Amino acid sequence: TDALDSSLLCNLTIDGVVNASDISTTSATATNYSVSGFTEATHTWNMTCWDSLNNTNTSSTRTFTIDTTGPTITLNSPANTFNTSSTTVTFNFTATDNTQTTLNCSVYVNNTLQDTNSSVNNGTATTFTIASITEGVHTWNISCDDTLGNSNNSIAQTFTVDTVKPSFHSLTYSP
């Protein structure tokens, strides 16, 4: 806004570098300017404007984030084809996102939601412990999304719960 000069020229600075020069605007009027080609990251921007007498002013610096990629998910344990005699299994995974610090992740057993943690720390091993898993072969996977709505699913791995002890049908002894 300029009290005496209605025509202003402005520079758009992004990440500390002037991205566009001599953007014409009218004092006290919103002006839109489009820029493309950003990498996925958090960026900074501000405007510097001047009037016909070269009086200048620079806006405060603001930030915006470009993120179109879902988190990557690594299944740490149990290993694929794991066998256990317990009906309680602890699932360990690490979810990593390129811009977000916390993620929303869920564990699925046989494609059925078992538990959700909405505050998984980015890049940190996290566990879900699920009880009362039935006897048999099962699949498990993790699904995560970031605060911008980008999501991803891990691969599915299998594990087996076997709580039945071996039985003997016939036992003979010969000296």
Side-chain angles (χ1 to χ4, degrees), residues 108-129:
Y108 291 82
V109 174
N110 298 330
N111 296 316
T112 301
L113 175 65
Q114 300 295 314
D115 199 3
T116 298
N117 181 341
S118 61
S119 57
V120 171
N121 290 321
N122 186 12
T124 302
T126 304
T127 60
F128 286 110
T129 300

Side-chain angles (χ1 to χ4, degrees), residues 121-143:
N121 290 321
N122 186 12
T124 302
T126 304
T127 60
F128 286 110
T129 300
I130 307 301
S132 302
I133 299 174
T134 60
E135 175 105 4
V137 177
H138 303 280
T139 60
W140 74 285
N141 72 293
I142 301 291
S143 176

